[in-house]
Amino acid sequence: MRVAAIDCGTNSIRLLIADVIEDEEGQTRLLDVSRQMRIVRLGQGVDATGNFVPEALERTFTAVDEYAALIGKHGAQHVRFVATSATRDAGNRNEFMEGVRTRLGVTPEVIEGSEEAALSFAGAVSVRPPADTENVLVVDLGGGSTEFVVGTSDGVRAAISMDMGCVRYAERFLTDDPPTAEQIAAAEAEANRQIDTVLQTVPLHEVDRVVGVAGTITTVTAHVLDLHSYQPEKIDGSELPIGVIEAAASEFLGFSRRRREQLPYMHPGRVDVIAAGALIYRTILLRMAELTGNRVRTAVASEHDILDGIALGLARQ
């Protein structure tokens, strides 16, 4: 079976076309046919105005047209389009949904944070599942929200979606180039406040391993690895000390926009928001080290995320 999964977030829209196969152990696996990503910044201004702006919708519809052509070319039999944080927040989301339906022939599903978290967890651990007694935290850091999901080999134990994302924090806090110490402190204070809320639902202190997914985290990893281009095969599965990730995130906060533009692995659409995303990830990891008494000393970057979870869900259905 060939399936197509589309994840439309606040900053990017991504496509996975994959063949569903069964391995020697009888486990369902995905064999990639095509992975695509476009930075469309659908959530531009949503935090301030409550609506999608026309230029953001136009960028997104252009990407959907491209994806529709690819899906037709590769003959995917089943398609699912999932929309997340920005679409949940936008007052004119019906205009967006009708535009997608017209172009793609499927109705976008605006999923709640709990389902987004479960799909992210399923995708992130699909390549390296949790050991029998291991508690894994998946951090899915998007443009408008971040999902915190703790699970075991039996599935998700607890999850929550928080309104802390790289686009939201860049627009709300880090408005100077580079951001000032006061702006950074305000953003960190808000991130810590939101993590305090996470602790009321998700047992972060019981975590044994952290897996980070999405573009902010993979870009920070590329920076640590000093890659000469964006190379997913080198990023995927990279396990780095928290102190090293903290240092890399701090460098992004000190870089000017022009300096960030010159980094060879930096997608142009992430230039304006990578510092905010790096700050959020740094804050999360430092809290994780503190909460676990330094039992968690590293974090793993994964190229497998909600897209894989959507595709696997299609296969099971």
Side-chain angles (χ1 to χ4, degrees), residues 43 56 198 295 300-302 306:
V198 173
R295 182 174 65 255
V300 178
S302 175
I306 190 172

Side-chain angles (χ1 to χ4, degrees), residues 244-301:
V244 172
I245 298 171
E246 177 191 4
S250 299
E251 286 189 342
F252 278 127
L253 286 163
F255 287 163
S256 66
R257 188 186 194 284
R258 180 173 177 80
R259 177 74 178 89
R260 297 193 298 272
E261 283 178 332
Q262 295 170 344
L263 298 171
Y265 43 79
M266 180 69 66
H267 191 288
R270 296 202 189 282
V271 171
D272 291 337
V273 299
I274 187 62
L279 178 145
I280 293 170
Y281 194 43
R282 178 181 76 175
T283 306
I284 292 169
L285 292 182
L286 290 175
R287 286 294 297 275
M288 287 306 303
E290 174 193 343
L291 288 165
T292 62
N294 287 320
R295 182 174 65 255
V296 172
R297 299 182 181 183
T298 63
V300 178

